[in-house]
Amino acid sequence: LVNIARTMGLGVDPDLTPGRYGLYESEARRRAWWDIWWWDAYTSTLSSRAPLIPLHAFSTRLPLDVDEEVFTSACTSAPLLSPTGKEGVGRWFGMRVRLAQLVKDINFRTSLLSSLEHPSVLLSLEHASQCEAEIKQWVLDLPPAFRIGNEGMGEESCMPPHSSMALSSNASHGGTPPTLLAQRLDILMTTYRLAMGLYLPCLRPHSSSSSQS
């Protein structure tokens, strides 16, 4: 998939070839490339492999946060979402990509430390704690609609079990639309997985010792 995307030229920003693509197609190409980039970052984290697309190996810039309901191929200018306006697929896509950037950056620094002659000196609880602080700050900087409550799921954690089955109804989750709830949980799972992965190297040296608590 990565090779096909490169063959299609998706790794080159459309603005570098003036007049070839219209506004709508340019944004579609950017989204296609960054969607592939995001999956590369996500799957490389799950499999502990090096990403296929390095951070600085392409020129395609981030897609715009546009209002999906009015953005069509007939548009001559991008209908941008205001910072305090409604949430939408456009805003979510940009956030997901920025989260992938954070994941790749932390994984790159961690793998760099692992490749050193004495990685245990640097791959410490201090390193994990510093990276965890970056993750927490990223979550705190999210738009309010995408933030998770102190209990992990916000108002959803207070709902009775039978209500959690009715995802088709906005009212079954305190008025939270099902799509927005899924986006919140995706952020939650990705950030928690990243944070837990940081501490695994600190646990492994003691995993074979039954005397360690």
Side-chain angles (χ1 to χ4, degrees):
L1 188 60
V2 171
N3 288 335
I4 292 172
R6 285 177 170 148
T7 301
M8 293 173 63
L10 297 182
V12 179
D13 192 80
D15 287 351
L16 297 178
T17 53
R20 186 171 183 182
Y21 306 107
L23 174 64
Y24 190 83
E25 187 177 359
S26 294
E27 283 303 302
R29 291 176 67 85
R30 290 184 182 111
R31 287 196 182 195
W33 173 258
W34 281 98
D35 205 32
I36 294 169
W37 188 92
W38 184 87
W39 278 109
D40 177 45
Y42 186 71
T43 55
S44 64
T45 301
L46 294 180
S47 60
S48 300
R49 64 162 174 80
L52 300 174
I53 307 175
L55 275 172
H56 306 293
F58 54 91
S59 60
T60 307
R61 63 177 176 82
L62 286 170
L64 299 172
D65 291 341
V66 297
D67 187 341
E68 299 291 327
E69 294 181 6
V70 297
F71 186 46
T72 67
S73 57
C75 290
T76 56
S77 61
L80 301 179
L81 289 169
S82 66
T84 57
K86 64 182 178 180
E87 307 304 335
V89 176
R91 195 186 302 281
W92 161 245
F93 189 88
M95 259 193 307
R96 190 177 70 162
V97 168
R98 291 175 182 88
L99 177 56
Q101 286 180 309
L102 176 68
V103 171
K104 271 196 172 183
D105 182 54
I106 289 179
N107 286 344
F108 174 75
R109 281 181 282 153
T110 303
S111 62
L112 189 63
L113 294 177
S114 301
S115 65
L116 299 179
E117 186 176 353
H118 302 290
S120 59
V121 176
L122 295 171
L123 277 177
S124 60
L125 283 171
E126 182 180 359
H127 167 73
S129 180
Q130 289 174 349
C131 293
E132 184 187 7
E134 291 182 43
I135 299 169
K136 287 181 177 178
Q137 188 58 54
W138 189 90
V139 172
L140 289 174
D141 292 338
L142 286 170
F146 291 98
R147 292 177 193 163
I148 307 298
N150 292 332
E151 299 302 321
M153 291 176 61
E155 69 273 11
E156 291 77 20
S157 61
C158 302
M159 297 300 293
H162 67 273
S163 298
S164 64
M165 300 298 292
L167 286 177
S168 60
S169 170
N170 291 355
S172 63
H173 284 278
T176 303
T179 300
L180 182 57
L181 176 61
Q183 292 168 352
R184 286 181 184 178
L185 295 177
D186 186 59
I187 291 174
L188 180 72
M189 290 186 291
T190 304
T191 51
Y192 272 48
R193 180 184 291 275
L194 178 60
M196 288 190 293
L198 290 167
Y199 288 99
L200 286 178
C202 305
L203 298 174
R204 284 173 182 144
H206 306 290
S207 60
S208 59
S209 174
S210 58
S211 62
Q212 294 291 338
S213 59

